[in-house]
Amino acid sequence: MKIPLMKAGIMSCLTLGLFNGQAFAESGINNACSSYGEIQPNENPSHKQINCLLTNAAIDAEIPPEVVKAVATQENGDWRQFNEDGTPIKSDDGGIGLMQLTNKSGYDQKKLENDIAYNIGAGVEVLSGMYSRRDLPKIKDAGRRVIENWYFPVMAYNGTKPVNSPLYQENGKINANAYQEEVFAEIENQSYLNDTKLAKYPFKTSDFQYDRDSTENIIFTNLVYTLTDQTHDSVYWLRAGDKVMTTSIANIRKEISTTAGAVSVPPNTSLIITGNFDYHESKGNKFVFYPVQTEDQSIKGYVSSAYISKMPSIVTHQGYE
């Protein structure tokens, strides 16, 4: 991990036996992504396939894929399991592979090193377990598919240590260097292309009790937050027939792979999802594309998930994928 000290957060949960390494089925993740090719030993799969693996593991665990992909980016910006020579990636603090899990009780070390689907499944399972913790705050009346409701589970993935306090204790300012703040900034960057701002928590310094010179975990004094800003449901559970709105100017592409011949539609355009999402081959595109049509069927094609919402959004931006 980027902050070696924080690995203790994950490892304490593994040591407590919260995860047994068998709850997820990496074979199912592989099967869902088999159309993008067979995974070869000691080779990093294509970007499309890794995007697919991360997406399907997240959906299976009912975690917004936007969150899982941003965690993977924070842990391993290039989404790689292996070095160029085929050896498994390991960090100085023992983090293994794409999801940078430390190998201790509950998981098979060799599979964490050599099986990217297993590595992803393990990371997703750990993150899911953090959501189930009762000592971490949640948003009132929000469920698992609300992206902002994963703020504290993401924090716990790295460690609920003073270094990850949402606020600086001494002045009350946002700690932009906290692990979860960096992950949520990555969600805005890679899943929304910086055209949407996620809702902010109304934090107070009294919400977090800790000694900033200690490595003891933070004690959370407020376990339920009411957010006044609009929260964001993941778009990955949209299905054919669902109606969405564009949240900015958006291109409706004839083909996912190119903008040639794309038709631009304005913000708040009503679209109908006509099928399952698919992936772009470019490493820069970590979102997905949905096949859509306008309600009058005059425009058909593919739209980036970065620019659609199931519910109308307040438009404060203009952009293109």
Side-chain angles (χ1 to χ4, degrees):
M1 286 193 166
K2 291 189 176 181
I3 308 174
L5 177 62
M6 296 302 97
K7 186 63 70 176
I10 292 179
M11 293 321 307
S12 62
C13 291
L14 292 175
T15 302
L16 290 172
L18 291 178
F19 317 110
N20 60 21
Q22 302 301 321
F24 61 88
E26 67 270 21
S27 60
I29 303 171
N30 274 325
N31 290 339
C33 304
S34 60
S35 62
Y36 300 111
E38 183 178 351
I39 296 177
Q40 300 299 317
N42 303 102
E43 291 184 10
N44 293 305
S46 69
H47 174 75
K48 266 189 178 183
Q49 188 147 23
I50 297 177
N51 197 351
C52 180
L53 292 170
L54 288 166
T55 298
N56 280 276
I59 290 173
D60 286 350
E62 201 176 1
I63 304 175
E66 296 94 333
V67 173
V68 169
K69 294 180 193 183
V71 168
T73 300
Q74 184 72 4
E75 294 295 338
N76 187 317
D78 292 332
W79 284 6
R80 294 185 302 131
Q81 179 75 12
F82 302 103
N83 295 303
E84 290 184 3
D85 63 0
T87 58
I89 288 175
K90 293 184 181 180
S91 64
D92 292 339
D93 66 338
I96 297 173
L98 177 57
M99 300 304 290
Q100 285 293 282
L101 283 171
T102 300
N103 178 57
K104 291 294 182 180
S105 59
Y107 292 101
D108 183 304
Q109 179 180 13
K110 291 302 180 183
K111 292 190 74 174
L112 281 176
E113 292 179 358
N114 299 308
D115 187 334
I116 188 171
Y118 183 87
N119 187 284
I120 289 171
V124 167
E125 186 178 60
V126 170
L127 181 58
S128 183
M130 298 303 176
Y131 186 92
S132 301
R133 286 175 51 172
R134 294 185 177 182
D135 64 326
L136 297 179
K138 295 285 195 304
I139 300 171
K140 184 179 180 180
D141 299 326
R144 292 178 67 95
R145 298 183 184 184
V146 176
I147 291 172
E148 288 88 346
N149 211 22
W150 287 86
Y151 182 91
F152 287 100
V154 166
M155 175 185 181
Y157 187 88
N158 187 253
T160 56
K161 303 295 182 180
V163 70
N164 283 335
S165 173
L167 301 178
Y168 288 113
Q169 195 178 49
E170 61 271 26
N171 56 26
K173 293 183 178 180
I174 294 291
N175 177 12
N177 295 318
Y179 180 86
Q180 71 280 359
E181 285 288 330
E182 292 184 344
V183 169
F184 271 67
E186 194 60 48
I187 293 173
E188 291 180 345
N189 176 45
Q190 70 183 29
S191 288
Y192 291 110
L193 301 179
N194 291 320
D195 282 332
T196 294
K197 293 298 180 183
L198 296 171
K200 301 297 184 183
Y201 283 73
F203 292 137
K204 304 186 299 293
T205 54
S206 59
D207 294 344
F208 316 106
Q209 293 184 359
Y210 61 91
D211 178 353
R212 64 179 179 177
D213 295 322
S214 171
T215 59
E216 294 297 314
N217 290 334
I218 295 170
I219 296 173
F220 302 96
T221 62
N222 182 10
L223 294 178
V224 179
Y225 286 91
T226 299
L227 274 57
T228 57
D229 295 337
Q230 177 186 342
T231 58
H232 298 79
D233 290 351
S234 173
V235 298
Y236 283 78
W237 279 275
L238 293 170
R239 295 293 180 264
D242 286 343
K243 291 185 178 181
V244 297
M245 301 287 286
T246 56
T247 57
S248 72
I249 295 174
N251 283 331
I252 309 298
R253 300 184 177 196
K254 291 184 177 180
E255 300 291 339
I256 291 175
S257 60
T258 179
T259 58
V263 178
S264 176
V265 297
N268 298 318
T269 297
S270 179
L271 299 172
I272 299 172
I273 304 293
T274 59
N276 297 327
F277 59 74
D278 204 345
Y279 310 90
H280 196 287
E281 61 190 9
S282 170
K283 290 184 177 181
N285 292 341
K286 295 177 179 177
F287 43 83
V288 295
F289 284 84
Y290 273 101
V292 295
Q293 64 183 27
T294 54
E295 293 201 62
D296 64 3
Q297 301 185 29
S298 62
I299 302 174
K300 298 180 181 180
Y302 295 88
V303 66
S304 165
S305 61
Y307 298 131
I308 58 174
S309 172
K310 192 167 185 179
M311 299 298 293
S313 301
I314 298 173
V315 177
T316 59
H317 52 265
Q318 303 284 312
Y320 296 89
E321 64 267 22

